[in-house]
Amino acid sequence: MCVLTAILEPSAPAQRQELDTIDVRLGAAPVPVEGTDGRTHIGYELHVTAPAQGGDLQLERLEVFGEREVEPLVSYGPDELEGRVRPDVERNARYGRVVRRDTTAVVNVWVTVPQGRRAPRFLCNELRGSGAGKETVVGDLRVNVRQRAPLVMGPPLRGGLWISHNGPGDHRAAHWGSVLVKGRRITVPQRFAIDFLGLDATGRGVRGPLQDSSNADWVGFGAEVIAVADGVIRESRDGVVDNPPLFEPGPPASLELPATGGNYVVLQLGGKTMVHYAHLQQGSVAVRTGQRVRRGQLLGRLGNSGNTNGAHLHFNVVDDALIANAEGLPYVFDSFEVLGTTTVDAAFGDAATYPSPPAQVRRALPFNSAIVGFPRN
Ligand SMILES: [Zn+2]
């Protein structure tokens, strides 16, 4: 972790004072990842703790510079910060850029590397805010970027068209927004998680009207969920009844898979890297704990069990067996198609977006709202 030394920028020399109690830290070390837009992206969070003494801290601007950049790669003003800062993560507060004293806020940062450039080795984060005496706080936090490639894996589903929902790059999506706080430790286990919902060739997610639909009417229901790589089944569960569509399951007791996943499979890829497949169809789980599987092997079928109100596959990659200890890891699928973008509202409402002609993509992370086509074999 890097720790910021913050100083107050003087509005007049006489008012100059040191302020070393604002603490800005980096969450998980960022890893650059190629997105479905053909660009390299770096997603991470800054944790900002306002001092116990003094007034509230209002965040005003964040600029992020690469190692040789003169122009910032990211420049968030007050409006942008308003939607990117979650103040008081311990009490799970909504969005807003005022950090109350003695509380910690999380700022989601998404850096897009200019076309044709390599990912920077480090990023300088310049954070400004107004503090107790209306002074401007200037922080300068250097974040090292890991120079390693993200995990490359095969498709998680056999064939079909899918919307990448709640997916990477959307700072307000439920996955990147689900922050865990344990003492001083803040983790984001679902940073790059995706909910895959099936689409037909016309971009619709359900056959017939949504309100009257059964699970079987949802295009993705029953699709083959497969191993993204060779590995060992670390954990699996079956026997949980699928929810009817639009059922509201209520808040789960924790983010651990037994509380949220319904029928699920955890595939261990080596080391502590775990791949989560959740909400599988009751009676479909085809593997047992301890079993070795090969890439492409059937694990189960897409369902609607657990903390879900519509048939989808929750897919995530983390660095620990326990969610409470895990950080979400970026990953790329080695080969798939992208057919434009859509939204769940469109796909399940009256205005479905017709998929565009397919573009072949290699080694990329499907971004939020991308329409993805996975290979049949
Ligand atoms: Zn999910």
PDB file of all heavy atoms in Angstrom, residues 165-166 174-175 190 193-196 278-279 307 312-316, ligand 1:
ATOM      1  N   HIS A 165     -23.714  -7.953 -18.255  1.00  0.00           N
ATOM      2  CA  HIS A 165     -24.472  -7.036 -17.403  1.00  0.00           C
ATOM      3  C   HIS A 165     -23.741  -6.835 -16.079  1.00  0.00           C
ATOM      4  O   HIS A 165     -23.058  -7.745 -15.606  1.00  0.00           O
ATOM      5  CB  HIS A 165     -25.870  -7.616 -17.178  1.00  0.00           C
ATOM      6  CG  HIS A 165     -26.760  -6.763 -16.337  1.00  0.00           C
ATOM      7  ND1 HIS A 165     -26.980  -5.437 -16.600  1.00  0.00           N
ATOM      8  CD2 HIS A 165     -27.487  -7.057 -15.221  1.00  0.00           C
ATOM      9  CE1 HIS A 165     -27.800  -4.944 -15.684  1.00  0.00           C
ATOM     10  NE2 HIS A 165     -28.120  -5.900 -14.836  1.00  0.00           N
ATOM     11  N   ASN A 166     -23.909  -5.644 -15.478  1.00  0.00           N
ATOM     12  CA  ASN A 166     -23.184  -5.287 -14.236  1.00  0.00           C
ATOM     13  C   ASN A 166     -21.677  -5.454 -14.428  1.00  0.00           C
ATOM     14  O   ASN A 166     -20.949  -5.774 -13.498  1.00  0.00           O
ATOM     15  CB  ASN A 166     -23.623  -6.170 -13.061  1.00  0.00           C
ATOM     16  CG  ASN A 166     -24.993  -5.770 -12.542  1.00  0.00           C
ATOM     17  OD1 ASN A 166     -25.370  -4.604 -12.607  1.00  0.00           O
ATOM     18  ND2 ASN A 166     -25.736  -6.741 -12.053  1.00  0.00           N
ATOM     19  N   ALA A 174     -23.460  -2.990  -9.714  1.00  0.00           N
ATOM     20  CA  ALA A 174     -23.556  -3.642  -8.402  1.00  0.00           C
ATOM     21  C   ALA A 174     -22.268  -4.378  -8.035  1.00  0.00           C
ATOM     22  O   ALA A 174     -21.902  -4.430  -6.856  1.00  0.00           O
ATOM     23  CB  ALA A 174     -24.724  -4.609  -8.414  1.00  0.00           C
ATOM     24  N   HIS A 175     -21.570  -4.933  -9.005  1.00  0.00           N
ATOM     25  CA  HIS A 175     -20.383  -5.733  -8.669  1.00  0.00           C
ATOM     26  C   HIS A 175     -19.220  -4.861  -8.167  1.00  0.00           C
ATOM     27  O   HIS A 175     -18.686  -5.095  -7.086  1.00  0.00           O
ATOM     28  CB  HIS A 175     -19.925  -6.532  -9.892  1.00  0.00           C
ATOM     29  CG  HIS A 175     -20.881  -7.614 -10.275  1.00  0.00           C
ATOM     30  ND1 HIS A 175     -21.129  -7.959 -11.581  1.00  0.00           N
ATOM     31  CD2 HIS A 175     -21.667  -8.422  -9.525  1.00  0.00           C
ATOM     32  CE1 HIS A 175     -22.006  -8.949 -11.615  1.00  0.00           C
ATOM     33  NE2 HIS A 175     -22.348  -9.245 -10.389  1.00  0.00           N
ATOM     34  N   GLN A 190     -15.769  -8.364  -6.182  1.00  0.00           N
ATOM     35  CA  GLN A 190     -16.485  -8.533  -7.459  1.00  0.00           C
ATOM     36  C   GLN A 190     -16.130  -7.427  -8.452  1.00  0.00           C
ATOM     37  O   GLN A 190     -16.936  -7.078  -9.313  1.00  0.00           O
ATOM     38  CB  GLN A 190     -17.995  -8.555  -7.208  1.00  0.00           C
ATOM     39  CG  GLN A 190     -18.394  -9.626  -6.204  1.00  0.00           C
ATOM     40  CD  GLN A 190     -19.892  -9.798  -6.109  1.00  0.00           C
ATOM     41  OE1 GLN A 190     -20.532 -10.348  -7.000  1.00  0.00           O
ATOM     42  NE2 GLN A 190     -20.476  -9.295  -5.050  1.00  0.00           N
ATOM     43  N   ALA A 193     -16.529  -8.785 -11.937  1.00  0.00           N
ATOM     44  CA  ALA A 193     -17.555  -9.818 -12.142  1.00  0.00           C
ATOM     45  C   ALA A 193     -18.518  -9.413 -13.251  1.00  0.00           C
ATOM     46  O   ALA A 193     -18.733  -8.228 -13.511  1.00  0.00           O
ATOM     47  CB  ALA A 193     -18.321 -10.055 -10.845  1.00  0.00           C
ATOM     48  N   ILE A 194     -19.088 -10.418 -13.900  1.00  0.00           N
ATOM     49  CA  ILE A 194     -20.063 -10.190 -14.985  1.00  0.00           C
ATOM     50  C   ILE A 194     -21.283 -11.076 -14.742  1.00  0.00           C
ATOM     51  O   ILE A 194     -21.144 -12.239 -14.350  1.00  0.00           O
ATOM     52  CB  ILE A 194     -19.447 -10.551 -16.361  1.00  0.00           C
ATOM     53  CG1 ILE A 194     -18.261  -9.635 -16.690  1.00  0.00           C
ATOM     54  CG2 ILE A 194     -20.504 -10.477 -17.467  1.00  0.00           C
ATOM     55  CD1 ILE A 194     -17.541  -9.987 -17.979  1.00  0.00           C
ATOM     56  N   ASP A 195     -22.466 -10.529 -14.989  1.00  0.00           N
ATOM     57  CA  ASP A 195     -23.691 -11.337 -15.060  1.00  0.00           C
ATOM     58  C   ASP A 195     -24.014 -11.538 -16.534  1.00  0.00           C
ATOM     59  O   ASP A 195     -24.283 -10.562 -17.247  1.00  0.00           O
ATOM     60  CB  ASP A 195     -24.859 -10.613 -14.381  1.00  0.00           C
ATOM     61  CG  ASP A 195     -24.707 -10.529 -12.873  1.00  0.00           C
ATOM     62  OD1 ASP A 195     -24.024 -11.401 -12.300  1.00  0.00           O
ATOM     63  OD2 ASP A 195     -25.264  -9.594 -12.275  1.00  0.00           O
ATOM     64  N   PHE A 196     -23.977 -12.776 -16.987  1.00  0.00           N
ATOM     65  CA  PHE A 196     -24.310 -13.071 -18.396  1.00  0.00           C
ATOM     66  C   PHE A 196     -25.780 -13.451 -18.497  1.00  0.00           C
ATOM     67  O   PHE A 196     -26.218 -14.426 -17.871  1.00  0.00           O
ATOM     68  CB  PHE A 196     -23.445 -14.219 -18.923  1.00  0.00           C
ATOM     69  CG  PHE A 196     -22.015 -13.832 -19.172  1.00  0.00           C
ATOM     70  CD1 PHE A 196     -20.997 -14.290 -18.340  1.00  0.00           C
ATOM     71  CD2 PHE A 196     -21.674 -13.016 -20.249  1.00  0.00           C
ATOM     72  CE1 PHE A 196     -19.672 -13.948 -18.575  1.00  0.00           C
ATOM     73  CE2 PHE A 196     -20.350 -12.660 -20.490  1.00  0.00           C
ATOM     74  CZ  PHE A 196     -19.354 -13.124 -19.651  1.00  0.00           C
ATOM     75  N   ALA A 278     -22.122 -18.907 -10.482  1.00  0.00           N
ATOM     76  CA  ALA A 278     -23.225 -18.953  -9.515  1.00  0.00           C
ATOM     77  C   ALA A 278     -24.597 -18.920 -10.184  1.00  0.00           C
ATOM     78  O   ALA A 278     -24.713 -18.568 -11.357  1.00  0.00           O
ATOM     79  CB  ALA A 278     -23.103 -17.796  -8.529  1.00  0.00           C
ATOM     80  N   HIS A 279     -25.612 -19.280  -9.390  1.00  0.00           N
ATOM     81  CA  HIS A 279     -27.041 -19.273  -9.761  1.00  0.00           C
ATOM     82  C   HIS A 279     -27.390 -20.405 -10.739  1.00  0.00           C
ATOM     83  O   HIS A 279     -28.272 -20.248 -11.588  1.00  0.00           O
ATOM     84  CB  HIS A 279     -27.481 -17.916 -10.347  1.00  0.00           C
ATOM     85  CG  HIS A 279     -27.034 -16.733  -9.554  1.00  0.00           C
ATOM     86  ND1 HIS A 279     -27.145 -16.668  -8.185  1.00  0.00           N
ATOM     87  CD2 HIS A 279     -26.460 -15.560  -9.940  1.00  0.00           C
ATOM     88  CE1 HIS A 279     -26.661 -15.502  -7.756  1.00  0.00           C
ATOM     89  NE2 HIS A 279     -26.231 -14.825  -8.795  1.00  0.00           N
ATOM     90  N   ASN A 307     -29.297 -15.612  -4.900  1.00  0.00           N
ATOM     91  CA  ASN A 307     -29.627 -14.183  -4.831  1.00  0.00           C
ATOM     92  C   ASN A 307     -29.805 -13.611  -6.242  1.00  0.00           C
ATOM     93  O   ASN A 307     -28.967 -12.869  -6.748  1.00  0.00           O
ATOM     94  CB  ASN A 307     -28.504 -13.456  -4.077  1.00  0.00           C
ATOM     95  CG  ASN A 307     -28.817 -11.996  -3.860  1.00  0.00           C
ATOM     96  OD1 ASN A 307     -29.952 -11.641  -3.555  1.00  0.00           O
ATOM     97  ND2 ASN A 307     -27.830 -11.145  -4.038  1.00  0.00           N
ATOM     98  N   HIS A 312     -29.464 -16.071 -14.970  1.00  0.00           N
ATOM     99  CA  HIS A 312     -28.191 -15.574 -15.491  1.00  0.00           C
ATOM    100  C   HIS A 312     -27.046 -16.342 -14.864  1.00  0.00           C
ATOM    101  O   HIS A 312     -27.222 -17.016 -13.841  1.00  0.00           O
ATOM    102  CB  HIS A 312     -28.035 -14.066 -15.231  1.00  0.00           C
ATOM    103  CG  HIS A 312     -27.763 -13.685 -13.801  1.00  0.00           C
ATOM    104  ND1 HIS A 312     -28.754 -13.570 -12.844  1.00  0.00           N
ATOM    105  CD2 HIS A 312     -26.604 -13.378 -13.158  1.00  0.00           C
ATOM    106  CE1 HIS A 312     -28.221 -13.206 -11.686  1.00  0.00           C
ATOM    107  NE2 HIS A 312     -26.910 -13.081 -11.845  1.00  0.00           N
ATOM    108  N   LEU A 313     -25.876 -16.225 -15.488  1.00  0.00           N
ATOM    109  CA  LEU A 313     -24.659 -16.775 -14.896  1.00  0.00           C
ATOM    110  C   LEU A 313     -23.886 -15.642 -14.253  1.00  0.00           C
ATOM    111  O   LEU A 313     -23.524 -14.671 -14.924  1.00  0.00           O
ATOM    112  CB  LEU A 313     -23.784 -17.443 -15.972  1.00  0.00           C
ATOM    113  CG  LEU A 313     -22.392 -17.872 -15.470  1.00  0.00           C
ATOM    114  CD1 LEU A 313     -22.504 -19.019 -14.464  1.00  0.00           C
ATOM    115  CD2 LEU A 313     -21.486 -18.268 -16.628  1.00  0.00           C
ATOM    116  N   HIS A 314     -23.637 -15.746 -12.941  1.00  0.00           N
ATOM    117  CA  HIS A 314     -22.730 -14.805 -12.274  1.00  0.00           C
ATOM    118  C   HIS A 314     -21.336 -15.401 -12.390  1.00  0.00           C
ATOM    119  O   HIS A 314     -21.081 -16.504 -11.889  1.00  0.00           O
ATOM    120  CB  HIS A 314     -23.133 -14.634 -10.806  1.00  0.00           C
ATOM    121  CG  HIS A 314     -22.123 -13.874  -9.996  1.00  0.00           C
ATOM    122  ND1 HIS A 314     -22.120 -12.510  -9.898  1.00  0.00           N
ATOM    123  CD2 HIS A 314     -21.063 -14.311  -9.259  1.00  0.00           C
ATOM    124  CE1 HIS A 314     -21.098 -12.126  -9.122  1.00  0.00           C
ATOM    125  NE2 HIS A 314     -20.448 -13.203  -8.728  1.00  0.00           N
ATOM    126  N   PHE A 315     -20.455 -14.669 -13.061  1.00  0.00           N
ATOM    127  CA  PHE A 315     -19.094 -15.153 -13.319  1.00  0.00           C
ATOM    128  C   PHE A 315     -18.100 -14.208 -12.673  1.00  0.00           C
ATOM    129  O   PHE A 315     -18.187 -12.988 -12.852  1.00  0.00           O
ATOM    130  CB  PHE A 315     -18.843 -15.219 -14.833  1.00  0.00           C
ATOM    131  CG  PHE A 315     -17.482 -15.747 -15.183  1.00  0.00           C
ATOM    132  CD1 PHE A 315     -17.254 -17.108 -15.275  1.00  0.00           C
ATOM    133  CD2 PHE A 315     -16.420 -14.872 -15.416  1.00  0.00           C
ATOM    134  CE1 PHE A 315     -15.992 -17.600 -15.582  1.00  0.00           C
ATOM    135  CE2 PHE A 315     -15.153 -15.363 -15.714  1.00  0.00           C
ATOM    136  CZ  PHE A 315     -14.943 -16.731 -15.807  1.00  0.00           C
ATOM    137  N   ASN A 316     -17.147 -14.755 -11.916  1.00  0.00           N
ATOM    138  CA  ASN A 316     -16.189 -13.894 -11.224  1.00  0.00           C
ATOM    139  C   ASN A 316     -14.881 -14.652 -11.013  1.00  0.00           C
ATOM    140  O   ASN A 316     -14.871 -15.877 -10.909  1.00  0.00           O
ATOM    141  CB  ASN A 316     -16.780 -13.459  -9.874  1.00  0.00           C
ATOM    142  CG  ASN A 316     -15.986 -12.334  -9.229  1.00  0.00           C
ATOM    143  OD1 ASN A 316     -15.269 -11.589  -9.908  1.00  0.00           O
ATOM    144  ND2 ASN A 316     -16.092 -12.210  -7.922  1.00  0.00           N
TER     145      ASN A 316
HETATM  146 ZN    ZN B   1     -23.572 -11.064 -10.324  1.00  0.00          ZN
END
